[in-house]
Amino acid sequence: MEFTRRDLGRIALASVPLSQAFATKMIDSKFGGVQIGAITYSFNRIASPDPEAIVKAYPEIGLGEAELMSNHCEALAGAPAMPQFGRGGGGGAPPPAPGGAPGQPGGRKGGGRAPLTPEQQAERQAAMEKLAQWRAAANANTWKAVTKKFNNAGVDVALLCYNMQDSMKDEDIEYGFSMAKGLGVKGITTSTTLTMAKRIAPVADKHKLLVGYHGHDATNDPNQTATLESYDTLMGYGKYNGINLDIGHFTAAGYDAVAFIKQHHDRITNLHVKDRKKDHGPNVAVWGTGDTPIKEVMQLLKTEKYRFPANLELEYPIPEGSDIIAEAKKCLAYVKSCLV
């Protein structure tokens, strides 16, 4: 029996999933060979009440790669929402991570909240129990559905940001790795302590999944990832313990990001790009006016052809009359100009 070209075409289509046969065109945000993405933490301001706004932000800005916060991942997967009790929109909306860990890099917490009333405490406890039940029922398909949302928008989910705290149980650590595997990401990033890094190392070795530890500038705390010695310590715990280098915080701590990347590029999962002043100075809204060597770092990645992404992380206050999408476009334009 002979087949026509049309027959062969039908057979080919039938042999692959429709998502592959009619694949969504992925957004190309690689400039000068350097992959630029963003951590979804940047979009906390628009994550509540509709987490789908995060997914829509990427194509609007022109970004094709995401580092997905675990709380945003859960929200997109349909996790029951936690009561807010007066929290402002943005950072407080997503559910807390297992073990009570804040769902933001560095365990950042909002300040100035009034103590909860007994009624509010009871409501929160009931909501946490409901969330725990939802988490226990989550599986690989739960997380694959989240990846599909981003893929349908032309965005690759490359990394999971799962912040781990000392209060976590072993099963909470495993939960993060299960989420990462279900999403299909290349690695995990996390803000945590050195004591946790030692606990995480054998789990990362078991799963053969690189964990990038996010640094800050708390150089006075020996249990934080901040000093050069702390990076050496956490990498010494296991071969899958790596670095999510925040070049803004690294500069604020008084270190040279370019030299560090040259030395440790093979252990870096990704960069966080922001502009900060030296000597623990503030974030600046106009990138290029701070002390962070963004251009020098981008040129290094371009010249050396390092394969890890440089992810925008917007933390500065949004200027009056602007919004997070406009600011992200402005920051992306600056980073692109550094790669010319």
Side-chain angles (χ1 to χ4, degrees), residues 155 178 180 194 258 266 277 282 296 326 335:
V155 181
S178 296
L194 293 183
V258 172
D266 59 332
K277 294 284 190 178
E296 292 82 355
V335 170

Side-chain angles (χ1 to χ4, degrees), residues 2 6 17 67 98 105 130 159 161 163 168 227-229 234 242 248 274 294 299 321:
E2 294 184 359
R6 181 175 294 179
E67 178 184 351
K130 185 176 180 181
L159 296 161
C161 180
N163 292 326
M168 280 186 168
T227 64
L228 296 179
E229 293 77 14
L234 68 87
K274 61 170 64 75
I294 297 177
Q299 285 292 319

Side-chain angles (χ1 to χ4, degrees), residues 100 138 140 218 225 334:
T225 304
Y334 175 74

Side-chain angles (χ1 to χ4, degrees), residues 182-333:
L183 289 168
V185 296
K186 303 168 187 174
I188 293 175
T189 60
T190 187
S191 289
T192 190
T193 61
L194 293 183
T195 50
M196 274 302 289
K198 192 171 186 177
R199 287 180 60 194
I200 295 165
V203 183
D205 287 348
K206 179 180 72 173
H207 290 285
K208 294 181 170 54
L209 193 65
L210 191 63
V211 177
Y213 292 83
H214 181 277
H216 293 86
D217 65 321
T219 51
N220 60 337
D221 186 341
N223 201 27
Q224 292 295 317
T225 304
T227 64
L228 296 179
E229 293 77 14
S230 66
Y231 287 101
D232 288 338
T233 297
L234 68 87
M235 285 190 289
Y237 289 144
K239 66 179 181 179
Y240 286 94
N241 268 15
I243 299 164
N244 163 208
L245 187 69
D246 186 309
I247 61 173
H249 295 327
F250 199 72
T251 299
Y255 300 122
D256 181 351
V258 172
F260 188 87
I261 294 168
K262 286 180 179 178
Q263 182 179 359
H264 298 292
H265 60 87
D266 59 332
R267 297 290 288 270
I268 293 176
T269 55
N270 63 308
L271 304 182
H272 279 177
V273 182
K274 61 170 64 75
D275 200 357
R276 279 191 67 179
K277 294 284 190 178
K278 292 179 180 178
D279 300 320
H280 310 286
N283 285 294
V284 297
V286 181
W287 287 10
T289 64
D291 295 322
T292 306
I294 297 177
K295 183 171 184 178
E296 292 82 355
V297 167
M298 293 300 112
Q299 285 292 319
L300 175 66
L301 268 58
K302 178 181 177 180
T303 301
E304 298 298 327
K305 296 181 171 57
Y306 294 143
R307 299 181 65 181
F308 50 80
N311 292 341
L312 311 181
E313 185 179 28
L314 279 64
E315 292 189 299
Y316 59 81
I318 301 299
E320 187 175 353
S322 187
D323 58 47
I324 188 60
I325 302 298
E327 293 302 306
K329 288 180 178 179
K330 183 177 70 177
C331 292
L332 176 59

Side-chain angles (χ1 to χ4, degrees), residues 15 31 35 57 63 81 96 175 206 239 252 262 303 338:
S15 66
F31 310 103
Q35 178 64 58
L63 291 168
Y175 176 78
K206 179 180 72 173
K239 66 179 181 179
K262 286 180 179 178
T303 301
C338 293

